[in-house]
Amino acid sequence: VRVFVNDRLVEEHDAVVSVFDRGFLYGDGIFESMRVVAGTVFRLGRHLDRLTRSAALIDLRLDGLPDLRHAIGTLLQANRLRDARLRVTLTRGPGRPGEYVAASGPPTLVISGAPYAGPDPRLASAGVEVRIATRQAVPAQVLDPAVKSLSRLSSVLARREAAAHGAHEAILTDAADRLTEGTVSNLFVVREGRLRTPPSTGEALPGITREAILELAPTAGIESVEEPLSRSALLEADEAFLTNTSWEVLPIARVDGRPLGTGAPGPVARRLGALYRELLHRECGDA
Ligand SMILES: Cc1ncc(COP(=O)(O)O)c(C=O)c1O
């Protein structure tokens, strides 16, 4: 496996960054996860826009970086990746322990890829359990959720808590006890055929999959609305699902140990999941 580090491709065993890198010391960086189908990155432009926005929101200067489209193309070719997951990680570069502000060099860039393996097919067909986390989401006043940040400690802890109860994902709440998103996914609920998801401004990461689902809903005759969700909106939903680049549309079957709706993936999740897969293949030229 070859990895793109800073300005070149290297073998995996040479793909190293400084132990004083600010990503490692402080989680001072951002990332993107992307999906590749038939050798084409799904909505690469949207991912690069989000990366640029994340960088601007944390004042991370992107000067001196190689052209990311070109670097990604080089990586895909070198590893002969056609159906893959890609990760682009950018940090504020090398630093020093204790020096919170000073970054001593250009940003650190790492791009890696691996063959795509979606969620366990049994999970996708039976639906997953989620747990509403006791730990709140990081408030937008602390860190805008639009920043796809490397600082993931509170999410890792929420996810560990969920896993300890046998749940696949944790759902985070805000200070007003509204549901925001999962630790690595966006949340949708369906009630009487109407799709609802929390707004992406100030509440949740503007997921690329979320955006595609909101585009697809009207074509399937499904009305959708972006609005805050209470706990009961999830607990009393007819169905619900999670979205992200690698899970695609992942139905929720149980919440906090209790069945949601019928306790099995519902028709809206199944329909939107199928439409999303068609869209992926169509846009990536593999229809
Ligand atoms: C916090 C959070 N919300 C939502 C998502 C889903 O985003 P996307 O659909 O772009 O993968 C992610 C993806 O990693 C995430 O980390």
Side-chain angles (χ1 to χ4, degrees):
V1 174
R2 296 213 274 166
V3 180
F4 200 97
V5 182
N6 293 327
D7 57 356
R8 65 179 66 102
L9 273 179
V10 293
E11 295 298 329
E12 188 176 329
H13 55 83
D14 293 322
V16 289
V17 299
S18 166
V19 293
F20 296 140
D21 192 273
R22 295 181 59 89
F24 182 66
L25 290 180
Y26 306 124
D28 184 4
I30 52 179
F31 73 106
E32 278 295 318
S33 294
M34 308 179 192
R35 174 75 183 278
V36 181
V37 175
T40 298
V41 181
F42 178 65
R43 299 198 169 176
L44 176 57
R46 301 298 292 138
H47 282 285
L48 295 179
D49 288 350
R50 189 169 69 182
L51 189 74
T52 307
R53 181 155 174 240
S54 290
L57 285 167
I58 66 163
D59 191 28
L60 171 58
R61 309 257 161 77
L62 301 180
D63 321 330
L65 283 181
D67 178 69
L68 290 180
R69 285 179 183 267
H70 184 256
I72 287 169
T74 310
L75 178 97
L76 292 178
Q77 269 193 343
N79 291 297
R80 296 183 207 288
L81 287 169
R82 306 270 310 153
D83 196 12
R85 237 185 110 171
L86 276 186
R87 176 166 163 135
V88 176
T89 307
L90 257 178
T91 81
R92 209 182 300 271
R96 280 282 151 198
E99 288 192 8
Y100 258 54
V101 180
S104 59
T108 300
L109 169 68
V110 176
I111 311 176
S112 63
Y116 174 74
D120 180 337
R122 280 166 307 184
L123 287 185
S125 64
V128 296
E129 174 157 352
V130 299
R131 187 170 174 84
I132 300 178
T134 52
R135 191 178 297 275
Q136 277 177 14
V138 174
Q141 300 90 318
V142 175
L143 185 63
D144 189 329
V147 178
K148 200 162 157 59
S149 143
L150 287 186
S151 314
R152 294 255 150 175
L153 185 56
S154 59
S155 293
V156 168
L157 295 177
R159 190 77 178 275
R160 285 173 63 89
E161 178 192 63
H165 289 85
H168 186 69
E169 172 65 306
I171 303 298
L172 303 170
T173 54
D174 66 11
D177 204 41
R178 294 177 307 200
L179 309 182
T180 58
E181 59 181 335
T183 62
V184 293
S185 57
N186 290 112
L187 173 68
F188 287 83
V189 302
V190 182
R191 178 88 198 200
E192 290 166 358
R194 191 159 165 269
L195 192 59
R196 299 170 66 197
T197 190
S200 63
T201 40
E203 297 274 326
L205 182 80
I208 307 294
T209 323
R210 173 188 182 280
E211 182 178 62
I213 293 299
L214 289 173
E215 280 170 31
L216 289 169
T219 66
I222 300 165
E223 186 198 339
S224 63
V225 55
E226 298 176 64
E227 64 184 10
L229 294 183
S230 63
R231 279 174 192 255
S232 57
L234 175 62
L235 296 170
E236 292 161 15
D238 298 326
E239 48 175 306
F241 57 88
L242 304 167
T243 60
N244 77 18
T245 293
S246 58
W247 295 347
E248 302 179 345
V249 172
L250 188 59
I252 297 174
R254 299 176 68 79
V255 181
D256 290 349
R258 283 190 295 277
L260 178 93
T262 62
V268 173
R270 282 204 307 268
R271 176 93 180 102
L272 289 171
L275 286 173
Y276 178 72
R277 275 186 297 280
E278 272 173 41
L279 177 76
L280 266 181
H281 289 268
R282 193 167 61 242
E283 283 195 10
C284 294
D286 186 35

